[in-house]
Coordinates of all heavy atoms in Angstrom, one line a residue:
M1 N -39.6 6.0 15.0 CA -41.0 5.8 14.6 C -41.9 6.3 15.8 O -41.5 6.1 16.9 CB -41.3 4.4 14.3 CG -40.8 3.9 13.0 SD -40.9 2.1 12.9 CE -39.5 1.7 13.8
T2 N -43.0 6.7 15.4 CA -44.0 7.0 16.4 C -45.3 6.2 16.1 O -45.6 5.9 14.9 CB -44.4 8.5 16.5 OG1 -45.0 8.9 15.2 CG2 -43.3 9.4 16.8
H3 N -45.9 5.7 17.1 CA -47.2 5.0 16.9 C -48.2 5.6 17.8 O -47.9 5.9 19.0 CB -47.0 3.5 17.3 CG -48.3 2.8 17.5 ND1 -49.1 2.4 16.5 CD2 -48.9 2.4 18.7 CE1 -50.1 1.8 17.0 NE2 -50.1 1.8 18.3
R4 N -49.4 5.7 17.3 CA -50.5 6.3 18.1 C -51.8 5.4 17.9 O -52.1 5.1 16.8 CB -50.8 7.7 17.7 CG -52.0 8.3 18.6 CD -52.3 9.7 18.2 NE -51.1 10.5 18.6 CZ -50.8 11.6 17.9 NH1 -51.5 12.0 16.9 NH2 -49.7 12.3 18.3
H5 N -52.3 5.0 19.0 CA -53.6 4.3 18.9 C -54.6 5.1 19.8 O -54.2 6.2 20.3 CB -53.5 2.8 19.4 CG -52.9 2.6 20.7 ND1 -51.6 2.2 20.8 CD2 -53.4 2.8 21.9 CE1 -51.3 2.1 22.1 NE2 -52.4 2.5 22.8
N6 N -55.8 4.6 20.0 CA -56.7 5.3 20.9 C -57.2 4.4 22.0 O -56.8 3.2 22.1 CB -57.9 5.9 20.1 CG -58.7 4.9 19.4 OD1 -59.0 3.8 19.9 ND2 -59.0 5.1 18.1
Y7 N -58.1 4.9 22.8 CA -58.5 4.0 24.0 C -59.2 2.8 23.5 O -59.2 1.8 24.2 CB -59.4 4.9 25.0 CG -60.7 5.2 24.5 CD1 -61.8 4.4 24.8 CD2 -61.0 6.3 23.7 CE1 -63.1 4.7 24.3 CE2 -62.2 6.6 23.2 CZ -63.3 5.8 23.5 OH -64.5 6.1 23.1
K8 N -59.9 2.8 22.4 CA -60.6 1.7 21.9 C -59.6 0.6 21.4 O -59.9 -0.6 21.5 CB -61.5 2.1 20.7 CG -62.7 2.9 21.1 CD -63.6 3.3 20.0 CE -64.7 4.2 20.4 NZ -65.5 4.6 19.2
T9 N -58.5 1.0 20.7 CA -57.6 0.0 20.2 C -56.4 -0.2 21.1 O -55.4 -0.9 20.7 CB -57.1 0.5 18.8 OG1 -56.5 1.8 18.9 CG2 -58.2 0.6 17.8
C10 N -56.4 0.4 22.3 CA -55.3 0.3 23.2 C -55.2 -1.2 23.7 O -56.2 -1.8 24.0 CB -55.6 1.2 24.5 SG -54.3 1.0 25.7
P11 N -54.0 -1.7 23.8 CA -53.8 -3.1 24.2 C -54.5 -3.3 25.6 O -54.9 -4.4 25.9 CB -52.3 -3.3 24.3 CG -51.8 -2.3 23.3 CD -52.7 -1.1 23.3
L12 N -54.5 -2.3 26.4 CA -55.1 -2.4 27.7 C -56.7 -2.6 27.7 O -57.3 -3.1 28.7 CB -54.8 -1.2 28.6 CG -53.3 -1.0 28.9 CD1 -53.1 0.2 29.7 CD2 -52.7 -2.2 29.6
S13 N -57.3 -2.4 26.5 CA -58.7 -2.6 26.3 C -59.0 -4.0 25.8 O -60.2 -4.3 25.6 CB -59.3 -1.5 25.4 OG -59.1 -0.2 25.9
D14 N -58.0 -4.8 25.5 CA -58.2 -6.1 25.0 C -58.8 -7.0 26.1 O -58.7 -6.7 27.3 CB -56.8 -6.8 24.6 CG -56.3 -6.2 23.2 OD1 -57.0 -5.3 22.7 OD2 -55.3 -6.6 22.8
D15 N -59.4 -8.1 25.6 CA -60.0 -9.1 26.6 C -59.0 -9.6 27.6 O -59.3 -9.8 28.8 CB -60.6 -10.2 25.8 CG -61.9 -9.8 25.1 OD1 -62.5 -8.7 25.4 OD2 -62.2 -10.5 24.1
D16 N -57.8 -9.9 27.1 CA -56.7 -10.3 28.0 C -55.4 -9.5 27.7 O -54.6 -9.9 26.9 CB -56.4 -11.8 27.7 CG -55.5 -12.4 28.8 OD1 -54.8 -11.6 29.5 OD2 -55.4 -13.6 28.9
P17 N -55.3 -8.3 28.3 CA -54.2 -7.4 28.1 C -52.8 -8.1 28.3 O -51.9 -7.7 27.6 CB -54.4 -6.3 29.1 CG -55.8 -6.4 29.5 CD -56.2 -7.8 29.3
A18 N -52.7 -9.0 29.2 CA -51.4 -9.6 29.4 C -50.9 -10.3 28.2 O -49.7 -10.3 27.9 CB -51.5 -10.6 30.6
I19 N -51.8 -11.0 27.5 CA -51.3 -11.7 26.3 C -50.9 -10.7 25.2 O -49.8 -10.9 24.6 CB -52.5 -12.6 25.7 CG1 -52.8 -13.7 26.6 CG2 -52.1 -13.1 24.3 CD1 -53.9 -14.6 26.2
T20 N -51.6 -9.6 25.1 CA -51.2 -8.6 24.1 C -49.9 -7.9 24.5 O -49.1 -7.7 23.6 CB -52.3 -7.5 24.0 OG1 -53.6 -8.1 23.7 CG2 -52.0 -6.5 22.9
V21 N -49.7 -7.6 25.7 CA -48.5 -7.0 26.2 C -47.3 -7.9 25.9 O -46.2 -7.5 25.5 CB -48.6 -6.6 27.7 CG1 -47.2 -6.1 28.2 CG2 -49.6 -5.4 27.8
E22 N -47.5 -9.2 26.1 CA -46.5 -10.2 25.8 C -46.1 -10.2 24.4 O -44.9 -10.2 24.0 CB -46.9 -11.6 26.3 CG -45.8 -12.6 26.3 CD -46.2 -13.9 26.8 OE1 -46.9 -13.9 27.9 OE2 -45.8 -15.0 26.2
L23 N -47.1 -10.1 23.5 CA -46.8 -10.1 22.0 C -46.1 -8.8 21.7 O -45.1 -8.8 20.9 CB -48.1 -10.1 21.3 CG -48.0 -9.9 19.8 CD1 -47.2 -10.9 19.1 CD2 -49.4 -9.8 19.1
L24 N -46.5 -7.7 22.3 CA -45.8 -6.4 22.1 C -44.4 -6.4 22.5 O -43.5 -5.9 21.9 CB -46.6 -5.3 22.7 CG -48.0 -5.0 22.1 CD1 -48.7 -3.9 23.0 CD2 -47.9 -4.5 20.7
S25 N -44.2 -7.1 23.7 CA -42.8 -7.2 24.2 C -41.9 -8.0 23.2 O -40.7 -7.6 23.0 CB -42.8 -7.9 25.5 OG -43.4 -7.1 26.5
E26 N -42.5 -9.0 22.6 CA -41.7 -9.7 21.5 C -41.4 -8.8 20.4 O -40.2 -8.8 19.9 CB -42.5 -10.9 21.0 CG -42.5 -12.1 22.0 CD -43.3 -13.3 21.4 OE1 -43.3 -13.5 20.2 OE2 -44.0 -14.0 22.2
I27 N -42.3 -8.0 19.9 CA -42.1 -7.1 18.8 C -41.1 -6.1 19.2 O -40.2 -5.8 18.4 CB -43.4 -6.4 18.4 CG1 -44.4 -7.5 17.8 CG2 -43.2 -5.3 17.4 CD1 -45.8 -6.9 17.6
M28 N -41.1 -5.6 20.4 CA -40.2 -4.5 20.8 C -38.8 -5.1 21.0 O -37.9 -4.3 21.2 CB -40.7 -3.9 22.1 CG -42.0 -3.2 22.0 SD -42.0 -1.9 20.7 CE -43.7 -1.9 20.2
S29 N -38.6 -6.4 21.0 CA -37.3 -7.0 21.0 C -36.6 -7.0 19.7 O -35.4 -7.3 19.6 CB -37.4 -8.4 21.6 OG -37.9 -8.3 23.0
G30 N -37.4 -6.8 18.6 CA -36.8 -6.8 17.3 C -36.6 -8.2 16.7 O -37.2 -9.2 17.2
T31 N -35.9 -8.2 15.6 CA -35.6 -9.5 14.9 C -34.2 -9.5 14.5 O -33.4 -8.5 14.8 CB -36.5 -9.6 13.6 OG1 -36.1 -8.6 12.7 CG2 -38.0 -9.6 13.9
E32 N -33.8 -10.5 13.8 CA -32.4 -10.6 13.4 C -32.1 -9.5 12.4 O -30.9 -9.0 12.4 CB -32.1 -12.0 12.7 CG -30.7 -12.3 12.5 CD -30.5 -13.7 12.0 OE1 -31.0 -14.6 12.7 OE2 -29.9 -13.9 10.9
S33 N -33.1 -9.1 11.6 CA -32.8 -8.0 10.6 C -33.2 -6.6 11.1 O -33.0 -5.6 10.4 CB -33.5 -8.4 9.3 OG -34.9 -8.5 9.6
V34 N -33.9 -6.5 12.2 CA -34.3 -5.2 12.7 C -33.8 -5.1 14.2 O -34.3 -5.7 15.1 CB -35.8 -5.0 12.7 CG1 -36.2 -3.6 13.2 CG2 -36.3 -5.2 11.3
K35 N -32.8 -4.3 14.4 CA -32.2 -4.1 15.7 C -33.0 -3.0 16.4 O -33.0 -1.8 15.9 CB -30.7 -3.8 15.6 CG -30.1 -3.5 16.9 CD -28.6 -3.1 16.8 CE -28.0 -2.8 18.1 NZ -26.6 -2.3 17.9
V36 N -33.5 -3.2 17.6 CA -34.2 -2.2 18.3 C -33.2 -1.5 19.2 O -32.6 -2.1 20.1 CB -35.4 -2.8 19.2 CG1 -36.1 -1.8 20.0 CG2 -36.4 -3.5 18.2
I37 N -33.1 -0.2 19.0 CA -32.2 0.7 19.8 C -32.9 1.1 21.1 O -32.3 1.1 22.2 CB -31.8 1.9 19.0 CG1 -31.2 1.6 17.7 CG2 -30.8 2.8 19.8 CD1 -30.0 0.7 17.7
G38 N -34.2 1.4 21.0 CA -34.9 1.8 22.2 C -36.4 1.9 22.0 O -36.8 2.1 20.8
T39 N -37.2 1.8 23.0 CA -38.6 1.9 22.9 C -39.1 2.7 24.1 O -38.6 2.6 25.2 CB -39.4 0.6 22.9 OG1 -39.1 -0.1 24.1 CG2 -39.0 -0.3 21.7
W40 N -40.1 3.6 23.9 CA -40.6 4.4 25.0 C -42.1 4.6 24.8 O -42.6 4.5 23.6 CB -40.0 5.8 24.9 CG -38.5 5.8 25.0 CD1 -37.8 5.9 26.2 CD2 -37.5 5.6 24.0 NE1 -36.4 5.8 25.9 CE2 -36.2 5.6 24.6 CE3 -37.6 5.5 22.6 CZ2 -35.1 5.5 23.8 CZ3 -36.4 5.3 21.9 CH2 -35.2 5.3 22.5
M41 N -42.8 4.8 25.8 CA -44.3 5.0 25.8 C -44.7 6.3 26.5 O -44.1 6.6 27.5 CB -45.0 3.8 26.4 CG -44.9 2.5 25.7 SD -45.8 2.5 24.1 CE -47.4 3.0 24.6
N42 N -45.7 6.9 26.0 CA -46.4 8.0 26.7 C -47.8 7.3 26.9 O -48.7 7.5 26.0 CB -46.5 9.3 25.9 CG -47.3 10.3 26.6 OD1 -48.1 10.1 27.5 ND2 -47.1 11.6 26.2
G43 N -48.0 6.6 28.0 CA -49.2 5.8 28.2 C -50.5 6.6 28.1 O -51.4 6.3 27.4
P44 N -50.6 7.7 28.9 CA -51.8 8.5 28.9 C -52.2 9.0 27.5 O -53.4 9.2 27.2 CB -51.5 9.6 29.9 CG -50.5 9.1 30.8 CD -49.6 8.2 29.9
A45 N -51.2 9.3 26.7 CA -51.5 9.8 25.3 C -51.7 8.6 24.3 O -51.9 8.9 23.1 CB -50.4 10.7 24.9
H46 N -51.4 7.4 24.7 CA -51.5 6.2 23.9 C -50.5 6.4 22.7 O -50.8 6.1 21.6 CB -52.9 6.0 23.3 CG -54.0 5.8 24.4 ND1 -54.2 4.6 25.0 CD2 -54.8 6.7 25.1 CE1 -55.1 4.7 25.9 NE2 -55.5 6.0 26.0
E47 N -49.3 6.8 23.0 CA -48.3 7.0 22.0 C -47.1 6.2 22.3 O -46.7 6.1 23.5 CB -47.9 8.5 21.9 CG -48.9 9.4 21.3 CD -48.5 10.8 21.3 OE1 -47.5 11.2 21.9 OE2 -49.2 11.6 20.7
G48 N -46.5 5.6 21.3 CA -45.2 4.8 21.5 C -44.2 5.4 20.6 O -44.5 5.9 19.5
Y49 N -42.9 5.3 21.0 CA -41.8 5.7 20.2 C -40.8 4.6 20.1 O -40.6 3.9 21.1 CB -41.2 7.0 20.9 CG -42.1 8.1 21.1 CD1 -42.9 8.1 22.2 CD2 -42.3 9.0 20.1 CE1 -43.9 9.1 22.4 CE2 -43.3 10.0 20.3 CZ -44.0 10.1 21.4 OH -45.0 11.1 21.6
M50 N -40.2 4.5 19.0 CA -39.2 3.4 18.8 C -38.1 3.8 17.9 O -38.4 4.5 16.8 CB -40.0 2.2 18.2 CG -39.4 0.9 18.1 SD -40.6 -0.3 17.5 CE -39.7 -1.8 17.8
V51 N -36.9 3.5 18.2 CA -35.8 3.7 17.3 C -35.2 2.3 16.9 O -34.9 1.5 17.8 CB -34.7 4.6 18.0 CG1 -33.5 4.7 17.1 CG2 -35.2 5.9 18.4
V52 N -35.1 2.1 15.6 CA -34.6 0.8 15.2 C -33.5 1.0 14.1 O -33.4 2.1 13.5 CB -35.7 -0.1 14.6 CG1 -36.8 -0.3 15.6 CG2 -36.2 0.5 13.3
E53 N -32.7 0.0 13.9 CA -31.7 0.0 12.8 C -32.0 -1.1 11.9 O -32.1 -2.3 12.4 CB -30.3 0.0 13.5 CG -29.2 0.1 12.5 CD -27.9 0.1 13.2 OE1 -27.7 0.8 14.2 OE2 -27.0 -0.6 12.7
A54 N -32.1 -0.9 10.6 CA -32.4 -2.0 9.7 C -31.9 -1.6 8.3 O -31.8 -0.4 8.0 CB -33.9 -2.2 9.6
E55 N -31.6 -2.5 7.5 CA -31.2 -2.3 6.1 C -32.4 -2.2 5.2 O -32.3 -1.5 4.2 CB -30.3 -3.4 5.6 CG -29.0 -3.6 6.4 CD -28.1 -2.4 6.1 OE1 -28.0 -1.9 4.9 OE2 -27.4 -1.9 7.0
S56 N -33.5 -2.8 5.6 CA -34.7 -2.8 4.7 C -35.9 -2.3 5.4 O -36.2 -2.8 6.5 CB -34.9 -4.3 4.2 OG -36.2 -4.4 3.7
F57 N -36.6 -1.4 4.8 CA -37.9 -0.9 5.4 C -38.9 -2.1 5.4 O -39.8 -2.2 6.3 CB -38.5 0.3 4.6 CG -39.8 0.8 5.2 CD1 -39.8 1.4 6.5 CD2 -41.0 0.6 4.6 CE1 -40.9 1.8 7.1 CE2 -42.2 1.0 5.2 CZ -42.1 1.6 6.4
G58 N -38.8 -3.0 4.4 CA -39.7 -4.1 4.4 C -39.6 -5.0 5.6 O -40.6 -5.4 6.2
D59 N -38.4 -5.1 6.2 CA -38.2 -5.9 7.4 C -38.9 -5.1 8.6 O -39.5 -5.7 9.5 CB -36.7 -6.0 7.7 CG -36.0 -7.0 6.7 OD1 -36.8 -7.8 6.1 OD2 -34.8 -6.9 6.6
V60 N -38.8 -3.8 8.6 CA -39.4 -3.0 9.6 C -40.9 -3.1 9.5 O -41.6 -3.3 10.5 CB -39.0 -1.5 9.5 CG1 -39.7 -0.7 10.5 CG2 -37.5 -1.4 9.7
H61 N -41.4 -3.1 8.3 CA -42.9 -3.2 8.1 C -43.4 -4.5 8.6 O -44.4 -4.6 9.3 CB -43.2 -3.0 6.6 CG -44.6 -3.0 6.2 ND1 -45.1 -2.9 5.0 CD2 -45.7 -3.0 7.0 CE1 -46.4 -2.9 5.0 NE2 -46.8 -3.0 6.2
R62 N -42.7 -5.6 8.3 CA -43.1 -6.9 8.7 C -43.1 -7.0 10.3 O -44.0 -7.5 10.9 CB -42.2 -8.0 8.2 CG -42.6 -8.5 6.8 CD -41.7 -9.6 6.3 NE -40.4 -9.2 6.0 CZ -40.1 -8.6 4.8 NH1 -41.0 -8.4 3.9 NH2 -38.9 -8.3 4.6
L63 N -42.1 -6.4 10.9 CA -42.0 -6.4 12.4 C -43.2 -5.7 13.0 O -43.8 -6.2 14.0 CB -40.7 -5.7 12.8 CG -40.6 -5.6 14.4 CD1 -40.5 -7.0 15.0 CD2 -39.4 -4.7 14.7
L64 N -43.6 -4.6 12.4 CA -44.7 -3.7 13.0 C -46.1 -4.0 12.5 O -47.0 -3.3 12.8 CB -44.3 -2.3 12.8 CG -43.0 -1.9 13.4 CD1 -42.6 -0.4 13.1 CD2 -43.0 -2.1 14.9
A65 N -46.3 -5.0 11.6 CA -47.6 -5.2 11.0 C -48.7 -5.4 12.0 O -49.8 -4.8 11.9 CB -47.5 -6.5 10.1
A66 N -48.4 -6.1 13.1 CA -49.4 -6.3 14.1 C -49.8 -5.0 14.8 O -51.0 -4.8 15.2 CB -49.0 -7.3 15.2
I67 N -48.9 -4.1 15.0 CA -49.1 -2.8 15.6 C -49.9 -1.9 14.7 O -50.8 -1.1 15.1 CB -47.8 -2.1 16.1 CG1 -47.1 -3.0 17.1 CG2 -48.1 -0.8 16.7 CD1 -45.7 -2.5 17.4
A68 N -49.6 -2.0 13.4 CA -50.3 -1.1 12.4 C -51.8 -1.3 12.4 O -52.5 -0.3 12.1 CB -49.7 -1.4 11.1
A69 N -52.3 -2.4 12.8 CA -53.7 -2.6 12.8 C -54.4 -1.9 14.0 O -55.6 -1.7 14.0 CB -54.0 -4.1 13.0
R70 N -53.6 -1.4 14.9 CA -54.2 -0.7 16.1 C -54.1 0.8 15.9 O -54.8 1.6 16.6 CB -53.4 -1.0 17.4 CG -53.6 -2.5 17.8 CD -52.9 -2.8 19.0 NE -53.1 -4.2 19.4 CZ -54.1 -4.5 20.2 NH1 -54.9 -3.7 20.8 NH2 -54.3 -5.8 20.5
G71 N -53.3 1.3 15.0 CA -53.2 2.8 14.8 C -52.1 3.1 13.9 O -51.4 2.3 13.4
E72 N -51.9 4.4 13.6 CA -50.9 4.9 12.6 C -49.5 4.7 13.2 O -49.3 4.8 14.4 CB -51.2 6.3 12.3 CG -50.9 7.3 13.4 CD -51.2 8.7 13.0 OE1 -51.7 9.0 11.9 OE2 -50.9 9.6 13.8
I73 N -48.6 4.5 12.2 CA -47.2 4.5 12.5 C -46.5 5.5 11.6 O -46.7 5.4 10.4 CB -46.6 3.1 12.3 CG1 -47.2 2.1 13.3 CG2 -45.1 3.1 12.5 CD1 -46.8 0.6 13.0
I74 N -45.8 6.4 12.1 CA -45.1 7.4 11.3 C -43.6 7.0 11.4 O -43.0 7.0 12.5 CB -45.4 8.8 11.8 CG1 -46.9 9.1 11.6 CG2 -44.5 9.8 11.0 CD1 -47.3 10.4 12.2
T75 N -43.0 6.8 10.2 CA -41.6 6.4 10.2 C -40.8 7.5 9.6 O -41.2 8.1 8.6 CB -41.4 5.1 9.3 OG1 -42.3 4.1 9.8 CG2 -40.0 4.7 9.3
V76 N -39.7 7.9 10.2 CA -38.8 8.9 9.7 C -37.5 8.1 9.5 O -36.8 7.6 10.4 CB -38.6 10.0 10.7 CG1 -37.5 11.0 10.2 CG2 -39.9 10.7 11.0
A77 N -37.1 8.0 8.2 CA -35.8 7.3 7.9 C -34.7 8.3 7.9 O -34.8 9.5 7.5 CB -35.9 6.8 6.4
V78 N -33.6 7.9 8.5 CA -32.4 8.8 8.7 C -31.2 8.0 8.3 O -31.2 6.7 8.2 CB -32.3 9.3 10.1 CG1 -33.4 10.2 10.5 CG2 -32.2 8.2 11.1
T79 N -30.1 8.7 8.0 CA -28.9 8.1 7.6 C -27.8 8.6 8.6 O -27.8 9.7 9.0 CB -28.5 8.5 6.2 OG1 -29.5 8.2 5.3 CG2 -27.2 7.9 5.7
D80 N -26.9 7.7 8.8 CA -25.7 8.0 9.7 C -25.0 9.3 9.2 O -24.8 9.4 8.0 CB -24.8 6.8 9.7 CG -23.5 7.1 10.5 OD1 -23.6 7.3 11.7 OD2 -22.4 7.2 9.8
F81 N -24.8 10.2 10.1 CA -24.1 11.5 9.7 C -22.8 11.3 8.9 O -22.6 11.9 7.9 CB -23.9 12.4 10.9 CG -23.1 13.6 10.5 CD1 -23.8 14.7 9.9 CD2 -21.8 13.7 10.7 CE1 -23.1 15.8 9.6 CE2 -21.0 14.8 10.4 CZ -21.7 15.9 9.8
H82 N -22.0 10.4 9.4 CA -20.7 10.2 8.8 C -20.8 9.7 7.4 O -20.0 10.1 6.5 CB -19.8 9.3 9.7 CG -19.5 9.9 11.0 ND1 -18.8 11.0 11.2 CD2 -20.0 9.5 12.3 CE1 -18.7 11.3 12.5 NE2 -19.5 10.4 13.1
S83 N -21.8 8.9 7.1 CA -21.9 8.4 5.7 C -22.4 9.5 4.8 O -22.0 9.6 3.6 CB -22.9 7.2 5.6 OG -24.2 7.6 5.9
V84 N -23.2 10.4 5.3 CA -23.6 11.6 4.6 C -22.4 12.5 4.3 O -22.3 13.1 3.2 CB -24.8 12.4 5.3 CG1 -25.1 13.7 4.6 CG2 -26.0 11.5 5.4
A85 N -21.6 12.7 5.3 CA -20.4 13.6 5.2 C -19.5 13.0 4.1 O -19.0 13.7 3.3 CB -19.7 13.7 6.5
E86 N -19.3 11.7 4.1 CA -18.5 11.0 3.1 C -19.0 11.2 1.7 O -18.3 11.5 0.8 CB -18.3 9.5 3.5 CG -17.3 8.8 2.6 CD -15.9 9.4 2.6 OE1 -15.4 9.9 3.7 OE2 -15.3 9.4 1.5
L87 N -20.4 11.0 1.6 CA -21.0 11.2 0.3 C -20.8 12.6 -0.2 O -20.6 12.9 -1.4 CB -22.5 10.9 0.4 CG -23.4 11.1 -0.8 CD1 -22.9 10.2 -2.0 CD2 -24.8 10.8 -0.5
T88 N -20.9 13.6 0.7 CA -20.8 15.0 0.3 C -19.3 15.2 -0.2 O -19.1 15.9 -1.2 CB -21.0 15.9 1.5 OG1 -22.4 15.7 2.0 CG2 -20.9 17.4 1.2
K89 N -18.3 14.6 0.4 CA -17.0 14.8 0.0 C -16.8 14.2 -1.4 O -16.2 14.8 -2.3 CB -16.0 14.0 0.9 CG -15.8 14.7 2.2 CD -14.8 13.9 3.1 CE -14.8 14.4 4.5 NZ -14.0 13.5 5.4
Q90 N -17.4 13.0 -1.6 CA -17.3 12.3 -2.9 C -18.0 13.2 -4.0 O -17.4 13.3 -5.1 CB -17.9 10.9 -2.9 CG -17.2 10.0 -2.0 CD -17.9 8.7 -1.8 OE1 -19.0 8.5 -2.3 NE2 -17.3 7.7 -1.1
L91 N -19.1 13.7 -3.7 CA -19.9 14.5 -4.7 C -19.1 15.8 -5.0 O -19.1 16.3 -6.2 CB -21.3 14.9 -4.2 CG -22.2 13.7 -4.1 CD1 -23.6 14.1 -3.5 CD2 -22.5 13.1 -5.5
T92 N -18.4 16.4 -4.0 CA -17.7 17.6 -4.2 C -16.5 17.3 -5.2 O -16.2 18.1 -6.1 CB -17.1 18.1 -2.9 OG1 -18.3 18.4 -2.1 CG2 -16.3 19.4 -3.1
K93 N -15.8 16.1 -5.0 CA -14.7 15.8 -5.8 C -15.2 15.6 -7.2 O -14.5 16.0 -8.2 CB -14.0 14.5 -5.3 CG -13.2 14.7 -4.1 CD -12.6 13.4 -3.6 CE -11.9 13.5 -2.3 NZ -11.4 12.3 -1.8
V94 N -16.3 14.9 -7.4 CA -16.9 14.7 -8.8 C -17.2 16.0 -9.4 O -16.9 16.2 -10.6 CB -18.1 13.8 -8.7 CG1 -18.9 13.8 -10.1 CG2 -17.8 12.4 -8.3
A95 N -17.8 16.9 -8.7 CA -18.2 18.2 -9.2 C -16.9 19.0 -9.6 O -16.9 19.6 -10.7 CB -19.0 19.0 -8.2
Q96 N -15.9 18.9 -8.8 CA -14.6 19.7 -9.1 C -13.9 19.0 -10.3 O -13.4 19.8 -11.2 CB -13.7 19.7 -7.9 CG -14.2 20.5 -6.8 CD -13.4 20.4 -5.5 OE1 -12.7 19.4 -5.3 NE2 -13.6 21.3 -4.6
S97 N -13.9 17.7 -10.4 CA -13.2 17.1 -11.5 C -14.0 17.2 -12.8 O -13.4 17.1 -13.9 CB -13.0 15.6 -11.2 OG -14.2 14.9 -11.2
T98 N -15.3 17.5 -12.8 CA -16.0 17.6 -14.0 C -16.5 19.1 -14.3 O -17.2 19.4 -15.2 CB -17.3 16.7 -14.0 OG1 -18.1 17.1 -12.9 CG2 -16.9 15.3 -13.9
C99 N -15.9 20.0 -13.4 CA -16.2 21.4 -13.5 C -17.7 21.7 -13.3 O -18.2 22.7 -13.8 CB -15.8 22.0 -14.9 SG -14.0 21.9 -15.1
L100 N -18.4 20.8 -12.6 CA -19.8 21.1 -12.3 C -19.9 21.9 -11.0 O -19.0 21.9 -10.2 CB -20.6 19.8 -12.0 CG -20.8 18.8 -13.2 CD1 -21.4 17.5 -12.7 CD2 -21.6 19.5 -14.2
T101 N -20.9 22.7 -10.9 CA -21.0 23.5 -9.7 C -22.4 23.2 -9.2 O -23.4 22.9 -10.0 CB -20.9 25.0 -10.0 OG1 -21.8 25.4 -11.0 CG2 -19.5 25.4 -10.4
F102 N -22.6 23.3 -7.9 CA -23.9 23.2 -7.3 C -24.7 24.5 -7.4 O -24.1 25.6 -7.3 CB -23.8 22.8 -5.8 CG -23.2 21.4 -5.6 CD1 -21.9 21.3 -5.0 CD2 -23.9 20.3 -5.9 CE1 -21.4 20.0 -4.8 CE2 -23.3 19.0 -5.7 CZ -22.1 18.9 -5.2
A103 N -26.0 24.3 -7.7 CA -26.8 25.5 -7.8 C -26.9 26.2 -6.5 O -26.9 25.6 -5.5 CB -28.2 25.1 -8.3
E104 N -27.0 27.5 -6.5 CA -27.2 28.3 -5.3 C -28.6 28.5 -5.0 O -29.5 28.6 -5.8 CB -26.5 29.6 -5.4 CG -25.0 29.5 -5.5 CD -24.2 30.8 -5.6 OE1 -24.8 31.8 -5.2 OE2 -23.1 30.8 -6.1
Ligands
ZN201 ZN1 -53.0 2.8 24.9

């Protein structure tokens, strides 16, 4: 995910930035249902990057709700490569057994 805010909504512009940064640190630690793989910041650009692992986007949304009020969050959902490879094998078997072909 990427998050971008501006100098007006930057946590450093809050009345007490230390309190905000503590809240953000809690969020960046994740929850039981959202495992945080890593977080990174480009401070001068007011951009944050986060990689998480979760079963439900709703859980991710709840985790990031406080950040969303400060600026946009762009989420890119991805799937483990090996599960996609396995799905491709299964679909190929189904297509072969039913004489279906994939469109070119
Ligand atoms: Zn900022």
Side-chain angles (χ1 to χ4, degrees):
M1 284 171 276
T2 61
H3 163 77
R4 179 180 295 147
H5 54 259
N6 60 46
Y7 73 94
K8 292 180 182 175
T9 58
C10 181
L12 297 179
S13 297
D14 286 2
D15 291 338
D16 190 343
I19 291 175
T20 306
V21 170
E22 190 173 316
L23 171 64
L24 291 172
S25 293
E26 285 181 32
I27 292 170
M28 297 304 153
S29 296
T31 62
E32 193 171 303
S33 58
V34 181
K35 179 182 176 185
V36 176
I37 306 299
T39 60
W40 301 269
M41 290 295 303
N42 179 340
H46 300 276
E47 292 177 349
Y49 304 88
M50 189 175 193
V51 175
V52 303
E53 183 175 316
E55 294 292 323
S56 163
F57 181 71
D59 292 339
V60 175
H61 187 182
R62 275 186 286 282
L63 175 67
L64 301 177
I67 298 172
R70 292 183 179 266
E72 67 181 9
I73 297 173
I74 298 173
T75 304
V76 177
V78 295
T79 302
D80 173 67
F81 173 79
H82 297 294
S83 67
V84 173
E86 186 60 36
L87 177 62
T88 302
K89 287 179 191 173
Q90 291 172 0
L91 291 175
T92 301
K93 286 180 185 173
V94 169
Q96 289 171 343
S97 68
T98 59
C99 299
L100 293 175
T101 57
F102 292 112
E104 292 182 23

